[in-house]
Structure formats: structure tokens, C-alpha cells
Amino acid sequence: MLFNSLEFVIFLPVVLLVYYQLPHKWQNRFLLVASCVFYAAWDWRFLFPLLASTSIDYWCAKRMEALGVAGAPREKRRPYVVLSVVTNLSLLGFFKYFNFFYENFQALAAGLGFHPRLTTLEIVLPIGISFYTFQALSYTIDVYRGHFHPTNSFFDFLLAVLYFPHLVAGPIQRAASLIPQVMKPRQVTREQIIEGIHLIAWGYFKKVFIADNVSPVADRMFNLVSPDGWQTMIAVYAFAVQIYCDFSGYTDIARGSAKLMGFEFVLNFNLPYLATNPSDFWKRWHISLSSWLRDYLYIPLGGNRGSRMATYRNLMLTMVIGGFWHGAAWNFLLWGFYHGLLLVVHRLLEPAWRIFDWPGVWGRRISFLLRMILFFQLTCYGWLLFRARSFTQIFGMTASLFRPWQVDWTLAQQLLPYALPLIVVQVFQYLTGKLHFLDWPHLPAEVRVVVYSVFLYCVLFRGGMPQSFIYFQF
Amino acid sequence: MLRHIVLGAFWAALVIITLELCARLDDSLTQGAPFFGPWDISVIYEHDALGQKGKPGARFGKWKMNSLGFRGPDLTPGSVRILVIGSSETFGQYESEDMEWPRQLERLLNHATGSSGTLYEVVNTALAGETLPASLRRLQERIALTNPSAAIIYPSLVHYLWVPYLPEHPTPPPKRFWTWRIQGRVESLLKRTLPLWLQTRIREWQTERAARQFSQLLDDVPPELCVRFRRDLEKMLETLKAHGIQPLLVTHANRFGGSVRAEERDSLLAWRKFYPMLTTDGLLNSERTLNRIMREVAAEQRIPLVDAAQKMPAGPEFFADFVHFTDKGSSRFAALVADALKPCLNGRQIRCPARPGG
């Protein structure tokens, strides 16, 4: 059940209507059933790997807690966290990466003159597996580290993992943040309702009006056999707008839906294209993933506590794994490597960057603007690596940037009507410091209704051809 | 309680007004529509004593009228013209711009004869909803305006069932001072999003309600209407022949072909909604009866006939709804007509070999 489907548009109000009538205990049970229905709407068989991993994680966490209470040393708890990690990563590895490794193994063997006769598997990737495995891992690892006491209720844990707004594409919720919200009675405040409606409206606008309308432009340009530099530039700009609006739109709808039920999800996007350097970018883009990678991968690897070279190695490793998390393809690995490289180069050149620290208010503003524009180009080049379907395409499109450009303004005209509202709103958000750009104490409710009606018009009557969310494939 | 109702009504009104303003702004920006006043398909029509006709130079969406009020480009001086008489299937409903079958036919004929430029010009005089008597009323005027060498007649047959209910002297529809532009958008949105079974139920209900005004539902075209249809058709052919215009008759094709498959029942019901005086079987029977009359008239008068009812493949690939073509359907249809016309083309002359009598 996609967020941008009629089914969900009916499903959510029905869930809310029933939810508001129930006491807390029944609310949780009802949400669990609703989440199962939501997930099973794709394929009911997807529920089995999810149930298997949550059952093992729950049991492991309980065992670790019992050992902790008994005063057992950390080493005694380690097998359980290892079991949880192995289970989750095996599930992920099997469903998501089996075919990738299999195909590459075959290609490598063929290159070496071997032709092994292996059985192929037709594996259907369960929706959201990358998200819920990471979320479940955070639970057992936090319990192992003693940061969090496991819940006594399997159903509460199951609901935390299965809760439909974040199930298929995040934001990746930490157990420490979500499970207490599941366990405690929730009060839906007026502010949460206002904020929730705002997030849902803005999320749909970004997804249906912007991303779905820009998608054909990006697709067309990326399908060109030999694009020139201008076409490549339009292609990556269009994809930059598309992927941001697609994913942040999804996240906003998820966060808004959760708020209407009294849940608070972590912020996942914070004006990422206004980042001035790679480190800043990863504090603004897919924050729930980047912070997960930081806490459960980069820091355990040593973070920046070791030598300079060790820090660079840790950065590269974290980003390459982060890239590979997105999909079982070489271009995602390359994209991760590219971002790792940007982080390393940024650290290396940090002293040199200071020449852009100009004095005065205007000096700072111009410096910010220049850095932001420069880093946006680097981010966009990263999207070329992410979106391209082959290395040949990457090389071809990269080379086109250095050949003469044939400027065709009609291409820009296809992109601008959709990119412009985004730019205007983001600049406004940045200048006011308010992500909820209609959150003004004396703003009449009528103004909000008018703005949301304009969004409604754009979504219902000016939306692009319905497309699935890009991040669902991950 | 009352306060809540009033407040709710106020918010609802605010939403509707905003949506309407957005629709008007959207039309103005994207289509150059006036912000006030009506903006729907009716803007390309006007009315006179003979009834509805195309408004010269008008435009709505993909539909553009030329300076004579016909769909398509302005006429080229010195071309050999082929008049097309018909209804919405010919005017073009779902096809992309310039893909309606008369435009495609023109390209095929010029390509087949190797004409540089537009030697053969196909003039699409069809209008959506036009009945055979309405075409007949306009025929002299259209001949005078276009001076054609040939005419292709592709009437929407079951439209004829409405003829007894239409006023003898056409009256223009009442002038509307206000139309909700958001209404059409909501309707098409519902068509796109509502499940098919629900749409079918709604249509059934609407058809049943509309059918109540008819004392008895018809299983076929009444005999007196068959006589009248034949007379109108003969009169049209007579007028064309009197002006030295080569006629070509085309039987009416629909999505269902010979029989209605189970998965096509919804489409059939959607079609029936426009003809509530007929039963579902009556719709297909009427189509068969009137096509039979067309074949008989063509045979009697020894004029060429394209039996599109037999030759057009059925199904959604070729028909976007019950009778209107997809791009592919209009291509196939144009090819059928072109094949029939090609033997008749002789430079600037169009003369078809006489068919053996039937």
C-alpha cells in the first residue's frame, strides 16, 4: 500500500478514526493489526522474515537483560548480540545481496575460465527489509551496550518494528526513542495535529506534484544514448530534485501520520541542499541512516579516535557500506565511495577552506552562498553515480560535461515550474529557521487552509504520473 | 453544534473557492483561458439556426478549430478535398493531437500517392454528438465552404436513437454565466481513481434513473426509425452525388466486435449510459441493424463501403472506450479507409469504380 495510493488515503483516516476511540492498550493492538494489513497489502509472505527477525531479536534482548540483571560480564551477553546481528544481516544478505554476489561470482569465474553450474534463485525482496533490519539491530545493540532496557512485551516490540508509517522506508527509528512511546499512553496534542497535517500536506506536494512531475524529465535525459553537457546537467538536477522530494516527501507523510497518532519520529531531512560541505550534508540528508551508521558502524570502527589514516579508513568504510545499503549494485558502492572521498578530502583541505571565511555579515553570506552552490554541484555529481545504470553511462555522461554544451532552455522550462516552489520554500525555511513554514503564532487558520487547498489542487489535478517511492526499492 | 456546522461549512467553502481559483489560474497560465467565463469543450462550439457548429479559430486543450470552424489546420488553396462527416469518433476524443483518423488518413493518402505537400486534404467536419440529420442540415454549407471531391460518411449510429427526442428546430443551449471548473477535474479524477466495480455500479444507477423517463426500453431500432435513417442516408448521398462528390460509406465499429467478453461488460454499461432508452442488448442490436442498413444502401447505390464494423479489431488496444479510438485504433481505422480510397485516386480526380449491384 503506497502512501500515494487511494488505498492509503482511505486507510489512514479509517485507522485514525478507530484509533482515537480506543484506550491505550487497545490502540497498540489495533495499530499492530493495521500495520500487518498495511504490510501484507504488498505480499503477506513478507511478514514471515519480519516476524522471524523480530522474534529472535526480542529473545536475544531478553536473554541479555536477564544476564545483565544476574551480573554476568559483557562477554556472556556477546553471543546473543552476535546472533541478532548475524540473523538480521543474513536476512538482508540473502534477500537483497544474494543475486548480486551470485552474478558477480559467476562473471568473475567466467573471466577466470571456470563455468560453475549453480542454481539461480528468484528472490523477491521484502519491502522495507533494509529499514526494519537496521531498526531491529539498534534495539539489540543498545540492549547489549546497556543503553536501553528491553521491553517485556513482545507485541510492543513488534509494533515498534512493524508500525506502518516508518515500516517500509523509514525514518529508521531507534528502539530507545520509539519503544517508550509505544509503551506509554499517548496524548495527541493540538500542536501535533497541526504539525501532522502540515507534514502530510507538504509531503504529498513534494512527492506527487514535484517528484512525479520531474521524474519523466530525469528519466528521459538519463535514457539518452549520448547526451551533451547541458542534457547531463538537466538530468542530474532533475534527479536531485526528484530524489529529494520523493524521499523527504515520503518521510514527511510518515512523520505526519505518526504525529496524528501521538508518535514523534526523528527528523530525517534538514534542508540538505543548503549544506556547505560533505560533513554538513550527512547531518542533513537521511539523518536517521547517517546517524545509525555513525553510532553503530563508524564509532565502533574507531571513529576519529585513532590516527588520521584510521579516521579516513573508517570514513571510507562507513560510506561505502552506507552506499551498498542502498542497493545491490556497483554504482551504489561507487556512490558511497565518492561520498567517503568527499568527506576525506574535506577533512584534508579543512584548513584551506578557511580562506573562504570572509569577515562581516555580507562576507559570511557570500561565503555561505558560494560554498553551498559549489557543494550542491558535487552532490549532484553524486546523484549521477547513484542514478546511472552502468559504468559506461557514468563515463559517457561525465565526459559530456567536458564537451561543448548545446543550451536548450525548453529543458530547463520543464524543470523550473516544479523546482521553483521547492527553492522558494527551502529559502524561506532557511531564512526563518522554521521547517514548519506555516508555524507562526498569529497566522490565521484561514491562511493555512488556503495554502493546503493550493497543495491539494496541485496534488490532485497537477500531479505527475503516479510513481512508486524510490527508496522502497532499498 | 450549530457553531460547528457553520464553521465546517465555512472551511469547506474556503477550500472549494481556493480550488476553483487555482483551476482558473491554471487554465489561464497553461491554456490562455479567460480567468472569468466558461472554459470547457463548449468554447469550441457556437450555435445558429441550423444547430451546433464549430467556432472558427477556437481552441480548447488539444482541440483546435480552423478558420472555418472545422477541426484541423486551415485549408490549403488548390488541394483536392475529402470531406469527412461524422461524430466524436471522427472529431477525435482520446487520440493525441493530430492523431485523429482524418489527419492520419490525409498523411497516408499523400504518402501513398507520393504527393509533395498536401495534394489530398481531408477536412474533418465532424463534431462531437452530431447526429446524421444534423450533418444533413449542414451539408450544403460545408460543401460550399470546402468544395470537396469526395466525402466519407462515418455516422455514430446509435446517436440516431436520440433523433425522435430532439426538437425539430435546434435551439442553442441556455447561456451559462457560471460553471465550476473544478467540477470536471473532480469527475475525471474520480474516473481515474475509483475502482471499476464502483464506477460500474454508479453508472448502472444513473442509467436506471435516466431510463425511467422512457415507458418501454428498446431491444432494437424501431422499424419507423430504420426507415427514417435509411431516408436520411439516401438523402445525404443524393446531395453529394448532385454536387459531383464521390461518397464513401463506413460502417460503425465498436470495442466489442461480434460479442461482448466478460471483462468488457463494464465498458458496455458505460456506453449504455448515453442511451438509456435501450437495453444493453438493444445497444448492440441497434448497431447491427443500422450497419446492415448502411451496407444495403451502399449495395443499392453501388457506392464503395468500408465495413469497419467487420474489419476493425476489437478490444482496448484500439478503442479507448466503447467507440472512441486510441492512437493505434485511429491508425488502423485510417489505414482501412485509405485502402478503400486509394483505387479511387487519380491525380486531382476522385472516382471509385462502381460496385456490383446488391
Side-chain angles (χ1 to χ4, degrees):
Chain A
M1 197 185 296
L2 294 169
F3 280 2
N4 56 341
S5 66
L6 179 69
E7 289 84 3
F8 185 76
V9 171
I10 295 167
F11 175 80
L12 182 65
V14 170
V15 167
L16 290 174
L17 211 67
V18 178
Y19 177 82
Y20 291 141
Q21 313 303 321
L22 299 172
H24 172 249
K25 194 174 154 191
W26 283 98
Q27 278 182 338
N28 282 359
R29 288 174 187 178
F30 172 69
L31 284 182
L32 191 57
V33 172
S35 299
C36 286
V37 170
F38 175 84
Y39 198 46
W42 270 287
D43 191 331
W44 58 271
R45 289 168 302 178
F46 289 169
L47 281 167
F48 293 113
L50 190 148
L51 284 171
S53 87
T54 31
S55 305
I56 291 169
D57 295 329
Y58 177 76
W59 181 76
C60 289
K62 287 294 285 178
R63 288 298 305 146
M64 285 190 281
E65 175 73 356
L67 287 168
V69 170
R74 206 167 169 174
E75 287 69 37
K76 291 263 184 192
R77 286 183 279 160
R78 189 165 292 158
Y80 297 102
V81 77
V82 169
L83 176 65
S84 165
V85 170
V86 168
T87 306
N88 282 293
L89 294 185
S90 303
L91 269 178
L92 194 58
F94 175 74
F95 283 108
K96 192 164 175 174
Y97 300 105
F98 179 84
N99 280 338
F100 173 78
F101 286 117
Y102 170 79
E103 283 160 16
N104 281 283
F105 173 73
Q106 266 206 327
L108 181 71
L112 295 171
F114 300 108
H115 296 282
R117 292 178 61 167
L118 299 172
T119 320
T120 53
L121 294 177
E122 277 192 22
I123 300 168
V124 181
L125 182 69
I127 302 271
I129 191 167
S130 307
F131 290 91
Y132 72 70
T133 46
F134 269 37
Q135 189 161 310
L137 278 175
S138 84
Y139 175 69
T140 43
I141 295 172
D142 280 355
V143 170
Y144 169 71
R145 287 173 176 174
H147 293 169
F148 182 67
H149 293 291
T151 168
N152 285 321
S153 161
F154 173 68
F155 291 107
D156 281 352
F157 174 59
L158 190 60
L159 175 58
V161 176
L162 200 65
Y163 184 39
F164 70 86
H166 72 75
L167 175 62
V168 289
I172 302 168
Q173 291 297 127
R174 301 291 178 84
S177 140
L178 194 56
I179 289 180
Q181 295 187 57
V182 171
M183 290 160 71
K184 275 189 232 154
R186 295 170 293 272
Q187 286 293 321
V188 184
T189 62
R190 187 174 176 274
E191 285 68 33
Q192 277 180 315
I193 291 176
I194 291 173
E195 176 91 11
I197 290 171
H198 173 80
L199 283 168
I200 292 172
W202 179 229
Y204 273 114
F205 181 82
K206 280 193 284 187
K207 165 63 185 160
V208 180
F209 179 69
I210 303 179
D212 287 353
N213 274 308
V214 163
S215 156
V217 182
D219 290 348
R220 213 168 51 248
M221 294 297 109
F222 271 100
N223 286 338
L224 291 174
V225 179
S226 121
D228 64 32
W230 176 259
Q231 288 166 328
T232 297
M233 193 188 77
I234 294 290
V236 290
Y237 281 173
F239 186 66
V241 172
Q242 185 199 348
I243 193 165
Y244 171 64
C245 289
D246 190 284
F247 193 19
S248 72
Y250 171 88
T251 305
D252 284 352
I253 299 166
R255 291 181 64 222
S257 308
K259 264 185 200 290
L260 293 181
M261 289 174 254
F263 285 93
E264 289 293 337
F265 281 1
V266 290
L267 185 69
N268 216 16
F269 292 91
N270 184 11
L271 312 177
Y273 291 148
L274 300 186
T276 53
N277 60 59
S279 164
D280 187 20
F281 178 76
W282 285 104
K283 286 175 191 146
R284 293 165 176 272
W285 177 273
H286 203 174
I287 300 166
S288 63
L289 174 71
S290 52
S291 60
W292 194 99
L293 291 170
R294 181 195 63 208
D295 294 346
Y296 299 103
L297 190 63
Y298 177 68
I299 292 174
L301 281 170
N304 55 4
R305 296 189 302 275
S307 67
R308 202 174 251 246
M309 284 311 288
T311 303
Y312 297 156
R313 179 204 64 204
N314 296 341
L315 277 173
M316 291 301 295
L317 213 54
T318 306
M319 294 316 292
V320 168
I321 291 172
F324 201 44
W325 173 89
H326 282 82
W330 286 103
N331 64 312
F332 293 121
L333 274 169
L334 187 64
W335 178 72
F337 181 83
Y338 170 78
H339 271 281
L341 208 62
L342 286 182
L343 283 165
V344 169
V345 170
H346 174 250
R347 276 185 176 246
L348 273 171
L349 298 181
E350 207 163 13
W353 279 111
R354 299 216 176 95
I355 59 164
F356 289 107
D357 289 345
W358 296 328
V361 176
W362 279 103
R364 278 199 300 278
R365 282 178 185 169
I366 293 169
S367 163
F368 164 78
L369 208 62
L370 286 176
R371 287 189 217 199
M372 193 261 289
I373 291 170
L374 173 68
F375 187 68
F376 179 66
Q377 312 311 315
L378 294 174
T379 308
C380 283
Y381 185 73
W383 291 133
L384 193 159
L385 309 178
F386 189 95
R387 172 65 174 77
R389 286 291 159 256
S390 66
F391 283 118
T392 317
Q393 188 176 21
I394 291 171
F395 293 134
M397 290 182 89
T398 306
S400 75
L401 293 168
F402 301 99
R403 287 197 300 267
W405 292 21
Q406 285 187 323
V407 176
D408 176 2
W409 288 110
T410 54
L411 287 178
Q413 280 167 11
Q414 290 167 26
L415 182 61
L416 269 179
Y418 305 107
L420 213 57
L422 180 72
I423 295 168
V424 170
V425 170
Q426 301 249 298
V427 169
F428 184 77
Q429 286 173 319
Y430 175 76
L431 293 176
T432 57
K434 280 176 186 282
L435 286 180
H436 180 174
F437 52 88
L438 292 178
D439 180 22
W440 299 94
H442 302 295
L443 189 75
E446 289 83 351
V447 175
R448 278 203 192 96
V449 172
V450 167
V451 172
Y452 295 150
S453 301
V454 173
F455 285 176
L456 185 69
Y457 179 85
C458 293
V459 167
L460 292 182
F461 308 118
R462 276 279 157 195
M465 283 294 283
Q467 313 264 341
S468 179
F469 288 89
I470 294 175
Y471 265 67
F472 275 24
Q473 63 188 295
F474 307 142
Chain B
M1 182 65 181
L2 184 68
R3 194 174 159 270
H4 280 103
I5 293 171
V6 171
L7 210 61
F10 170 73
W11 293 128
L14 192 60
V15 170
I16 292 168
I17 289 166
T18 311
L19 291 176
E20 179 65 20
L21 291 175
C22 285
R24 284 169 186 269
L25 191 67
D26 189 2
D27 288 342
S28 301
L29 292 174
T30 57
Q31 298 183 58
F35 193 80
F36 300 102
W39 186 251
D40 54 31
I41 189 77
S42 70
V43 298
I44 60 169
Y45 298 123
E46 58 184 11
H47 295 82
D48 62 11
L50 295 179
Q52 178 179 264
K53 64 176 191 169
K55 190 175 183 178
R59 176 178 189 157
F60 177 73
K62 64 184 173 188
W63 296 283
K64 269 187 273 185
M65 310 305 267
N66 65 15
S67 57
L68 297 175
F70 304 135
R71 186 171 183 197
D74 276 327
L75 304 191
T76 319
S79 58
V80 178
R81 291 182 190 137
I82 299 163
L83 203 69
V84 179
I85 298 160
S87 192
S88 52
E89 305 89 327
T90 303
F91 182 71
Q93 190 92 342
Y94 297 101
E95 302 95 325
S96 321
E97 204 167 341
D98 272 345
M99 288 297 279
E100 62 274 18
W101 71 262
R103 288 274 70 70
Q104 297 205 56
L105 174 67
E106 183 178 282
R107 288 194 287 270
L108 287 173
L109 294 180
N110 285 305
H111 180 74
T113 53
S115 314
S116 56
T118 313
L119 172 62
Y120 297 105
E121 196 164 35
V122 178
V123 187
N124 185 356
T125 67
L127 292 175
E130 190 167 280
T131 57
L132 193 63
S135 301
L136 198 53
R137 278 199 298 272
R138 291 256 171 230
L139 190 59
Q140 293 284 4
E141 179 191 279
R142 288 170 180 170
I143 291 171
L145 282 170
T146 58
N147 189 25
S149 303
I152 303 166
I153 304 162
Y154 183 57
S156 188
L157 295 183
V158 279
H159 266 13
Y160 209 83
L161 271 295
W162 274 116
V163 168
Y165 305 99
L166 297 175
E168 204 159 312
H169 299 290
T171 47
K175 204 169 171 65
R176 290 169 304 165
F177 291 100
W178 179 263
T179 49
W180 289 96
R181 291 199 198 163
I182 205 69
Q183 189 186 338
R185 286 166 163 87
V186 171
E187 282 168 5
S188 64
L189 177 78
L190 292 176
K191 263 191 191 173
R192 283 203 312 271
T193 50
L194 284 184
L196 195 60
W197 63 266
L198 185 59
Q199 291 192 43
T200 304
R201 291 285 163 278
I202 294 170
R203 281 194 197 110
E204 272 177 340
W205 174 75
Q206 286 174 328
T207 310
E208 274 165 26
R209 224 171 57 140
R212 278 184 214 143
Q213 61 179 301
F214 302 98
S215 53
Q216 199 184 354
L217 298 187
L218 304 169
D219 283 323
D220 204 338
V221 190
E224 65 277 10
L225 209 57
C226 288
V227 172
R228 196 169 161 186
F229 176 77
R230 178 186 284 266
R231 203 178 55 217
D232 280 345
L233 197 60
E234 285 170 346
K235 201 169 171 191
M236 181 169 271
L237 296 172
E238 198 179 297
T239 310
L240 291 170
K241 282 178 180 169
H243 285 83
I245 299 165
Q246 170 68 55
L248 176 84
L249 281 176
V250 187
T251 57
H252 195 255
N254 62 52
R255 181 192 178 108
F256 313 101
S259 59
V260 183
R261 291 190 303 275
E263 65 269 24
E264 300 278 17
R265 295 293 300 180
D266 296 322
S267 259
L268 187 62
L269 282 167
W271 192 16
R272 207 205 133 202
K273 193 185 132 188
F274 295 93
Y275 308 98
M277 73 290 278
L278 288 167
T279 61
T280 313
D281 287 341
L283 195 60
L284 294 172
N285 290 340
S286 302
E287 186 90 339
R288 280 186 211 111
T289 303
L290 295 173
N291 269 331
R292 181 175 47 78
I293 294 174
M294 284 186 82
R295 288 186 198 104
E296 285 168 8
V297 170
E300 284 162 14
Q301 304 216 4
R302 298 184 171 196
I303 55 168
L305 173 113
V306 178
D307 206 344
Q310 299 286 339
K311 290 180 181 168
M312 262 305 279
E317 197 181 337
F318 299 94
F319 291 89
D321 62 8
F322 23 91
V323 291
H324 300 105
F325 301 116
T326 58
D327 280 355
K328 197 172 176 183
S330 60
S331 297
R332 179 66 75 92
F333 188 88
L336 278 178
V337 179
D339 286 346
L341 262 181
K342 276 176 206 164
C344 313
L345 306 178
N346 182 15
R348 301 191 62 79
Q349 284 251 316
I350 303 181
R351 274 288 158 265
C352 296
R355 293 177 70 206

